[in-house]
Amino acid sequence: MAIILVRAASPGLSAADSISHQGTLQCSTLLKTKRPAARRWMPCSLLGLHPWEAGRPSPAVYSSLAVNPAGEAVVSSEQKVYDVVLKQAALLKRQLRTPVLDARPQDMDMPRNGLKEAYDRCGEICEEYAKTFYLGTMLMTEERRRAIWAIYVWCRRTDELVDGPNANYITPTALDRWEKRLEDLFTGRPYDMLDAALSDTISRFPIDIQPFRDMIEGMRSDLRKTRYNNFDELYMYCYYVAGTVGLMSVPVMGIAPESKATTESVYSAALALGIANQLTNILRDVGEDARRGRIYLPQDELAQAGLSDEDIFKGVVTNRWRNFMKRQIKRARMFFEEAERGVTELSQASRWPVWASLLLYRQILDEIEANDYNNFTKRAYVGKGKKLLALPVAYGKSLLLPCSLRNGQT
């Protein structure tokens, strides 16, 4: 299972890397300083598809085929993503049987205690922008905790390339350079101290480069695409920008040794919650995205509801809009319900921050309803009081037996 650092369209803080007018990567102020940025990452868990009985496949793919505009059957986005899930699960199982060798470069140009300083800076960034989640990671082992911080920071930096203060200067070529930099850190050649933390992390855990590349592909989508014809297209986008984080972090978060869930089902669960959280982001930020000329809603479903892009830009809550939103919220909750079952399959030390993130993030849907579905001019958010109340609930849930064991006892 894993933590997902879901992109939120709300105003946020510090960008990790910025791009100059010439399109060259500039060293980030995340290394030393703090400053405002356009978008922030919300940490949320990615977990659980049922059934969890050992040996039974998880229903991760609702449809293996989709129909294109010409009426031809094609492989669905869900099937394409599930193929990635199977590859990641196989990699984890193989490397758990044969522990990964320490491939850390011994001659990496780092100052004395350089890696410790790099990880500490990652922790500071995580604490600054994701306080509740950061506190929850204190229950994890030091190695796992620091690794999750490093993944968080890389995802944040990647997101800010297209959503940070210098996003207007980003080009596909700049993203190509960022991907080349990713390849370098995967081979032990980090560009800066924050890269060095991730480079060290991937030498300690069986983490594959594919989800990282896919996240960069999601950033490319933001440069060229502002509409999604159907949910199949939107699903792939949600995987790129959110589900990928789960695949990155499953090996770090760890699976409870007593769990009877298959590795494939754990990865599928991570993906399910990633989709749920990104769908929640989209529903919360309809108005903000529209003001940027973007509509992250299935065009065919809008048309079926008697709505158009013009209705979105006008931002008037009508009965048609309420009915449309009810269906969209129902879909997001379906993914949350599938995901919730898997939280208990995590190693116990990793469960608390995951549960806290899941419970808090899911409440955003409740707040949208409380605002009478006005996500054009009202922002749905979870107040501090509700956040505080969720923490002990999350801790209590973190003590539960894995679902796979409870199912086996019934």
Side-chain angles (χ1 to χ4, degrees), residues 282-292 312 375-377:
I282 289 169
L283 298 180
R284 181 195 59 196
D285 300 331
V286 169
E288 295 179 31
D289 288 331
R291 288 187 284 276
R292 301 168 62 227
I312 305 298
N375 44 6
F376 298 118
T377 60

Side-chain angles (χ1 to χ4, degrees), residues 321-333:
W321 178 251
R322 292 185 182 94
N323 291 332
F324 173 79
M325 282 299 301
K326 288 176 183 177
R327 290 193 290 272
Q328 301 302 309
I329 288 174
K330 181 179 180 180
R331 171 188 281 149
R333 283 185 173 141

Side-chain angles (χ1 to χ4, degrees), residues 369-397:
E369 292 173 330
N371 289 340
D372 192 28
Y373 305 99
N374 181 3
N375 44 6
F376 298 118
T377 60
K378 292 184 179 180
R379 181 173 179 77
Y381 67 94
V382 180
K384 290 183 179 180
K386 290 183 179 180
K387 289 181 179 179
L388 291 174
L389 289 174
L391 291 176
V393 175
Y395 182 74
K397 287 180 175 291

Side-chain angles (χ1 to χ4, degrees), residues 217-243:
E217 185 60 31
M219 304 304 110
R220 293 189 179 102
S221 295
D222 272 336
L223 292 184
R224 64 176 181 258
K225 195 174 180 70
T226 60
R227 301 291 188 278
Y228 293 83
N229 292 324
N230 49 49
F231 184 70
D232 188 69
E233 290 186 7
L234 186 62
Y235 181 93
M236 182 61 79
Y237 174 75
C238 290
Y239 160 69
Y240 281 147
V241 301

Side-chain angles (χ1 to χ4, degrees), residues 3-108:
I3 293 299
I4 178 167
L5 311 172
V6 177
R7 298 176 58 210
S10 60
L13 299 173
S14 180
D17 263 37
S18 60
I19 301 295
S20 72
H21 290 263
Q22 291 74 33
T24 56
L25 290 168
Q26 301 298 314
C27 219
S28 167
T29 54
L30 277 183
L31 294 173
K32 297 180 180 178
T33 62
K34 305 173 183 179
R35 60 180 174 79
R39 186 171 279 203
R40 65 192 172 92
W41 283 78
M42 299 296 294
C44 296
S45 50
L46 293 172
L47 304 141
L49 280 176
H50 60 284
W52 290 98
E53 292 84 357
R56 290 184 57 184
S58 173
V61 181
Y62 294 97
S63 175
S64 61
L65 294 177
V67 178
N68 65 16
E72 302 167 333
V74 295
V75 177
S76 70
S77 292
E78 289 179 280
Q79 182 61 56
K80 292 176 182 176
V81 172
Y82 190 55
D83 290 342
V84 178
V85 166
L86 293 178
K87 176 184 175 183
Q88 301 305 306
L91 175 67
L92 178 60
K93 288 191 291 185
R94 182 170 64 252
Q95 295 199 359
L96 286 178
R97 289 194 298 266
T98 306
V100 64
L101 297 176
D102 188 347
R104 284 170 287 172
Q106 301 302 312
D107 58 347
M108 191 160 57

Side-chain angles (χ1 to χ4, degrees), residues 84-377:
V84 178
V85 166
L86 293 178
K87 176 184 175 183
Q88 301 305 306
L91 175 67
L92 178 60
K93 288 191 291 185
R94 182 170 64 252
Q95 295 199 359
L96 286 178
R97 289 194 298 266
T98 306
V100 64
L101 297 176
D102 188 347
R104 284 170 287 172
Q106 301 302 312
D107 58 347
M108 191 160 57
D109 185 17
M110 293 286 289
R112 186 184 301 273
N113 297 322
L115 275 178
K116 181 181 184 304
E117 181 182 353
Y119 277 120
D120 287 347
R121 181 60 189 136
C122 289
E124 291 171 3
I125 295 167
C126 187
E127 180 181 16
E128 182 180 355
Y129 306 124
K131 182 76 170 183
T132 301
F133 171 66
Y134 169 81
L135 292 175
T137 64
M138 293 298 104
L139 296 180
M140 301 170 66
T141 66
E142 181 182 24
E143 185 178 39
R144 293 183 186 276
R145 177 172 67 245
R146 298 195 313 175
I148 286 296
W149 293 347
I151 291 173
Y152 174 93
V153 169
W154 186 88
C155 292
R156 183 180 181 83
R157 301 175 88 182
T158 301
D159 179 64
E160 288 183 349
L161 290 176
V162 297
D163 288 309
N166 293 282
N168 290 337
Y169 308 118
I170 288 294
T171 65
T173 301
L175 290 177
D176 290 343
R177 282 195 288 269
W178 185 249
E179 185 168 4
K180 177 60 170 64
R181 177 166 162 171
L182 169 71
E183 293 168 355
D184 286 344
L185 73 84
F186 258 81
T187 56
R189 299 193 301 273
Y191 181 85
D192 59 25
M193 66 185 297
L194 299 181
D195 281 356
L198 182 59
S199 188
D200 183 67
T201 289
I202 62 179
S203 74
R204 296 172 180 270
F205 297 93
I207 298 173
D208 187 35
I209 195 173
Q210 186 63 50
F212 294 83
R213 285 177 170 152
D214 287 346
M215 176 172 282
I216 295 174
E217 185 60 31
M219 304 304 110
R220 293 189 179 102
S221 295
D222 272 336
L223 292 184
R224 64 176 181 258
K225 195 174 180 70
T226 60
R227 301 291 188 278
Y228 293 83
N229 292 324
N230 49 49
F231 184 70
D232 188 69
E233 290 186 7
L234 186 62
Y235 181 93
M236 182 61 79
Y237 174 75
C238 290
Y239 160 69
Y240 281 147
V241 301
T244 49
V245 189
L247 305 189
M248 297 172 194
S249 51
V250 164
V252 176
M253 298 298 291
I255 302 172
E258 68 272 21
S259 171
K260 300 300 182 181
T262 64
T263 306
E264 292 81 3
S265 69
V266 174
Y267 270 98
S268 296
L271 177 64
L273 193 52
I275 301 301
N277 283 307
Q278 188 59 26
L279 289 175
T280 301
N281 278 335
I282 289 169
L283 298 180
R284 181 195 59 196
D285 300 331
V286 169
E288 295 179 31
D289 288 331
R291 288 187 284 276
R292 301 168 62 227
R294 297 179 176 275
I295 298 178
Y296 294 98
L297 298 168
Q299 291 286 306
D300 60 346
E301 295 178 23
L302 282 170
Q304 292 167 9
L307 297 166
S308 65
D309 288 1
E310 189 62 29
D311 294 309
I312 305 298
F313 294 134
K314 286 181 179 177
V316 177
V317 178
T318 63
N319 285 334
R320 285 183 178 180
W321 178 251
R322 292 185 182 94
N323 291 332
F324 173 79
M325 282 299 301
K326 288 176 183 177
R327 290 193 290 272
Q328 301 302 309
I329 288 174
K330 181 179 180 180
R331 171 188 281 149
R333 283 185 173 141
M334 177 190 72
F335 280 101
F336 273 122
E337 288 168 3
E338 292 171 348
E340 184 176 350
R341 297 171 181 265
V343 181
T344 56
E345 306 300 331
L346 285 169
S347 61
Q348 189 169 20
S350 301
R351 294 175 195 166
W352 189 26
V354 173
W355 267 116
S357 298
L358 186 152
L359 295 176
L360 291 172
Y361 212 77
R362 190 170 54 185
Q363 289 183 62
I364 293 173
L365 298 176
D366 301 333
E367 298 301 323
I368 293 174
E369 292 173 330
N371 289 340
D372 192 28
Y373 305 99
N374 181 3
N375 44 6
F376 298 118
T377 60

